[in-house]
Amino acid sequence: MAMKRNIFKRVFYFYYDGFRNMTVGKSLWLIILIKLFIMFAVLRIFFFPNFLKSNFDTDKERSDHVIEQLTNTK
């Protein structure tokens, strides 16, 4: 009778063995991680400034502005 392991351990080892045996996939994952880093870290700094932090001093002012923008029907 085979020893039955926990489902989480089996899922972990399934992916662990899959990643360990990859050849081309490791390079592709490296490219994906570099691309995600560029998208979220580098581009965020230059193209997505924190509007609320730079234009309002307190949390109350920020929340009032957000509520006003969300409820503004124009």
Side-chain angles (χ1 to χ4, degrees):
M1 183 171 155
M3 188 171 175
K4 197 172 187 179
R5 290 193 289 183
N6 186 356
I7 184 76
F8 297 111
K9 283 184 179 180
R10 287 189 292 164
V11 169
F12 172 76
Y13 284 114
F14 174 78
Y15 284 104
Y16 180 75
D17 290 339
F19 282 111
R20 200 171 61 185
N21 293 326
M22 279 196 279
T23 55
V24 178
K26 288 180 183 177
S27 300
L28 294 175
W29 275 107
L30 181 63
I31 291 170
I32 290 169
L33 291 176
I34 291 171
K35 185 176 178 179
L36 287 173
F37 173 76
I38 290 171
M39 285 173 52
F40 289 106
V42 176
L43 293 179
R44 184 180 184 278
I45 293 170
F46 295 111
F47 296 110
F48 303 107
N50 193 341
F51 175 78
L52 293 175
K53 193 78 154 184
S54 61
N55 291 332
F56 301 101
D57 294 329
T58 63
D59 287 340
K60 174 77 172 133
E61 292 174 348
R62 292 181 197 119
S63 65
D64 289 342
H65 176 73
V66 170
I67 289 172
E68 181 182 319
Q69 293 299 314
L70 289 175
T71 58
N72 190 1
T73 56
K74 287 189 181 179

